Amino acid sequence: MKYLNFTKGIWLDIDVKKLLSLKEKFIGASSSTCKLALSREDKVLRDTLVDIAKSEGFKINVDYVGNIFISSSYFENKDKILIGGFCDTQITGGRFEGVVSIISALSVLSSIKSSGVRLKYDVELVLFSANQSSRFFPSLLGSRYLVGNISKEDIWFKKDEDGAIFISELAKISYLGNDYTPNIRAYFQ
C-alpha cells in the first residue's frame, strides 16, 4: 500500500503485513482494557515499543517524565516532526485506545527508514507519558511538559488517589529518563 508523504509528494510503501504484525505484538502484550499511567500494563506496552524499536535499529530517548522518543536519527540537533500518541488509558478505555496511534506511527517510521528517503526534517515517534491519565491529574502531563506548560518537578511530585508519587512510579517501571528535548517543527497524531 502506498501513501503520500507530507513533504514533496514522496510516496512511501506501508507494509500491511508488518503493520498487522505490530498490532498483534501490542495487543498480545496487554489484553487489558485498563492501562493506567505508570502501571504494570503501561510498562508492558512501553517495553514492547522499545523492544521493537531496538530490533529495527532506531534510536531511543526517554525524557524526565517518561515520554519515549524513537527516531531513525539521521539528523542530529535538527527540527523534528513528531508522530505518535500514548498507550495509557482511561479506567475503561479499551484495548486499542492510544495504542493505534503508536502502531501507526511506528509503521510510518519503519516505512521511511526502509524507503531510504531523506526528508528535510527527522520524523520521530513520541509516546506521551500520563496522557489519558485517570491516575495522575491533570491529564496530558507528558505533552504539557514537552511544550513547557508544566515543570518536571510539578509532575514528579503528583500523587494518585492511593498516595503513590509520580516520580517513584516512573522509576519503578524504569522510564525515568534524562533532559532529552527535541526541537519540534510539527506534531501529528
Side-chain angles (χ1 to χ4, degrees):
M1 191 181 305
K2 291 184 180 258
Y3 287 93
L4 183 63
N5 186 283
F6 45 83
T7 61
K8 299 192 180 190
I10 298 168
W11 289 94
L12 295 175
D13 287 316
I14 302 292
D15 185 337
V16 175
K17 287 182 183 177
K18 185 171 188 175
L19 180 65
L20 294 174
S21 171
L22 289 172
K23 180 195 78 126
E24 291 306 315
K25 286 179 184 176
F26 275 92
I27 300 310
S30 177
S31 60
S32 174
T33 58
C34 179
K35 298 175 281 294
L36 297 180
L38 313 184
S39 66
R40 183 185 63 77
E41 294 81 10
D42 185 16
K43 177 179 175 31
V44 166
L45 290 174
R46 288 167 178 264
D47 289 348
T48 301
L49 174 62
V50 168
D51 289 346
I52 293 168
K54 283 180 181 175
S55 74
E56 296 218 9
F58 291 125
K59 183 176 181 180
I60 301 159
N61 288 296
V62 180
D63 71 12
Y64 284 129
V65 299
N67 292 326
I68 300 171
F69 301 89
I70 297 173
S71 174
S72 59
S73 72
Y74 56 79
F75 292 125
E76 293 296 328
N77 302 318
K78 295 283 186 183
D79 288 351
K80 310 283 185 184
I81 296 173
L82 299 182
I83 57 174
F86 56 94
C87 67
D88 64 310
T89 66
Q90 298 291 330
I91 292 173
T92 57
R95 289 179 70 190
F96 299 106
E97 184 183 7
V99 174
V100 170
S101 62
I102 297 300
I103 294 167
S104 300
L106 190 56
S107 181
V108 168
L109 201 62
S110 180
S111 296
I112 291 169
K113 181 180 178 189
S114 66
S115 74
V117 169
R118 293 288 190 234
L119 303 172
K120 182 175 180 180
Y121 303 106
D122 198 6
V123 177
E124 190 163 273
L125 183 154
V126 59
L127 183 149
F128 289 114
S129 193
N131 191 68
Q132 292 291 316
S133 195
S134 292
R135 184 174 182 196
F136 297 98
F137 297 103
S139 61
L140 306 171
L141 291 175
S143 56
R144 288 178 186 195
Y145 170 73
L146 187 61
V147 298
N149 286 351
I150 190 170
S151 72
K152 67 181 182 281
E153 292 83 7
D154 285 342
I155 294 173
W156 282 351
F157 298 106
K158 289 198 174 293
K159 292 182 181 179
D160 69 9
E161 64 184 26
D162 296 324
I165 301 169
F166 188 98
I167 191 170
S168 299
E169 297 300 291
L170 189 59
K172 194 184 295 181
I173 67 165
S174 303
Y175 282 96
L176 177 59
N178 57 40
D179 66 348
Y180 181 78
T181 306
N183 297 319
I184 305 167
R185 180 71 175 190
Y187 170 70
F188 299 95
Q189 180 175 358

